[in-house]
Amino acid sequence: MTTIMKDTPSMPPVSIVIPLRIESTEREANLHCVLQYLLRSPFVYIDLLEADKERHFFFTHHERIRYRFVHDEEPVFYRTHYLNELLREAQHSIVGIWDADVLIPEAQLIAAVWHVLGGCVLCFPYNGKFRFLEKERSNAIRKDMDELQAGEGYCLLGRPSVGGAFLVNKTKYLEAGGENEGFYGWGPEDAERVKRLEILELPIARTKGLLYHLHHERKPDIGVDNRKKAQHNQKVLLNTCRQSKEELTKALKCHTGIFSYLDNHIRGKKRCVSKFGRSENI
């Protein structure tokens, strides 16, 4: 599917941030494909943050990629926390938050950028429809991105999706709380994010078009009470949903802790943080 626009001189630079933990060869292959796809757009700059016991993702140097490794021995990937670090350190005023497995045509990305420039705090660069790609099709697309055909794949959700990829006005989004660090691991953080902005009456937009998700196996967190974690994350979502605009605004201004996880989980981390650096030829 050829959708890349070669002539985009008037586009402002956009930071795409991707937190990652490589738990499978498929996930690694997907990220390589996504990076190649994004870098076709000359206005895109990518920040990667890998958090794990040891580094697993290696790639060839590119002047528009910054990479950072965080030594993290926790079994659960604290995605919301690392996304906030990436957001704060992003170089540009428009930031895209991306999963490591999603492809979106450039025309949709450009449309989302203009929505943010026009005043939206958040914009989804697709219409809410997630198209999941089968394993064989994903293998073919990883080898040749132009293999991707418009409209292929299948939908799992019967409602519009609010995950996968979105663009924000960096300053306004962080003022609205950024990512809710009350969520530990994967959970309903995508739904909470939208609900919070709706309560705060901040503008959200969507573009036309689909989002494509490359195949990968899904594994539960090992050594973790996943039921307890899911219950906690559901409470975090409900905590936002029951607040008024005035209550939520006050909580954000006072930093009362509704956007941070339990202290013992943070203190228990063994982390060694390196600053962003250019990627090496490895």
Side-chain angles (χ1 to χ4, degrees):
M1 181 175 65
T2 304
T3 57
I4 301 300
M5 298 180 181
K6 299 298 183 182
D7 185 17
T8 55
S10 62
M11 288 299 298
V14 175
S15 292
I16 302 289
V17 300
I18 306 176
L20 60 137
R21 177 169 288 186
I22 303 296
E23 73 275 36
S24 68
T25 55
E26 276 187 316
R27 179 80 79 173
E28 179 182 11
N30 287 349
L31 182 54
H32 279 293
C33 180
V34 170
L35 292 179
Q36 292 178 51
Y37 199 83
L38 286 169
L39 288 170
R40 287 182 171 189
S41 301
F43 57 89
V44 165
Y45 294 78
I46 300 171
D47 287 344
L48 302 173
L49 189 156
E50 181 177 7
D52 210 335
K53 294 179 181 179
E54 60 183 271
R55 180 175 178 174
H56 293 285
F57 189 68
F58 298 91
F59 57 99
T60 302
H61 166 80
H62 194 286
E63 62 182 5
R64 286 188 281 124
I65 296 180
R66 297 192 303 170
Y67 172 89
R68 174 179 169 190
F69 177 75
V70 177
H71 182 81
D72 184 347
E73 297 189 8
E74 284 290 303
V76 175
F77 181 42
Y78 199 175
R79 187 171 183 270
T80 52
H81 173 72
Y82 290 123
L83 273 174
N84 278 337
E85 289 195 11
L86 285 164
L87 276 163
R88 286 190 290 266
E89 295 176 8
Q91 299 177 89
H92 305 296
S93 60
I94 300 176
V95 181
I97 295 177
W98 241 246
D99 286 356
D101 312 283
V102 300
L103 301 174
I104 295 172
E106 188 193 49
Q108 294 169 215
L109 173 58
I110 290 173
V113 170
W114 289 112
H115 275 295
V116 175
L117 288 173
C120 287
V121 174
L122 183 151
C123 181
F124 296 101
Y126 67 107
N127 62 8
K129 294 182 179 180
F130 238 96
R131 304 293 294 186
F132 288 88
L133 301 166
E134 299 281 4
K135 187 171 185 177
E136 290 186 3
R137 286 299 298 145
S138 295
N139 287 336
I141 292 163
R142 292 186 199 109
K143 294 175 183 177
D144 181 0
M145 290 175 288
D146 291 326
E147 278 285 315
L148 180 60
Q149 301 298 312
E152 71 170 305
Y154 62 94
C155 288
L156 286 179
L157 297 176
R159 54 177 172 76
S161 173
V162 289
F166 60 96
L167 276 73
V168 298
N169 176 309
K170 173 182 171 178
T171 300
K172 292 181 180 178
Y173 185 61
L174 287 173
E175 288 174 352
E179 291 294 287
N180 188 333
E181 294 187 27
F183 292 104
Y184 192 55
W186 294 96
E189 68 271 17
D190 292 331
E192 188 274 345
R193 180 189 304 119
V194 171
K195 184 62 178 177
R196 177 163 26 105
L197 295 188
E198 288 177 346
I199 292 171
L200 294 170
E201 299 180 353
L202 297 173
I204 302 172
R206 283 195 185 275
T207 71
K208 297 179 180 179
L210 304 170
L211 178 148
Y212 300 90
H213 190 286
L214 295 164
H215 179 272
H216 67 88
E217 297 294 334
R218 297 184 181 274
K219 301 178 181 179
D221 294 316
I222 299 173
V224 176
D225 187 336
N226 284 285
R227 182 178 178 181
K228 184 177 180 180
K229 177 163 65 71
Q231 290 174 341
H232 165 82
N233 285 339
Q234 191 66 28
K235 289 179 180 178
V236 175
L237 171 62
L238 294 174
N239 183 58
T240 294
C241 292
R242 62 171 169 251
Q243 294 193 68
S244 66
K245 179 181 178 181
E246 292 73 22
E247 291 170 333
L248 197 50
T249 300
K250 182 180 179 180
L252 288 168
K253 288 182 178 178
C254 297
H255 301 288
T256 53
I258 61 169
F259 296 108
S260 61
Y261 191 53
L262 303 176
D263 286 344
N264 63 319
H265 286 273
I266 297 172
R267 293 193 188 116
K269 284 178 175 289
K270 295 180 181 178
R271 296 190 297 159
C272 179
V273 180
S274 63
K275 294 182 178 180
F276 270 123
R278 296 295 179 183
S279 54
E280 301 294 335
N281 284 310
I282 299 175

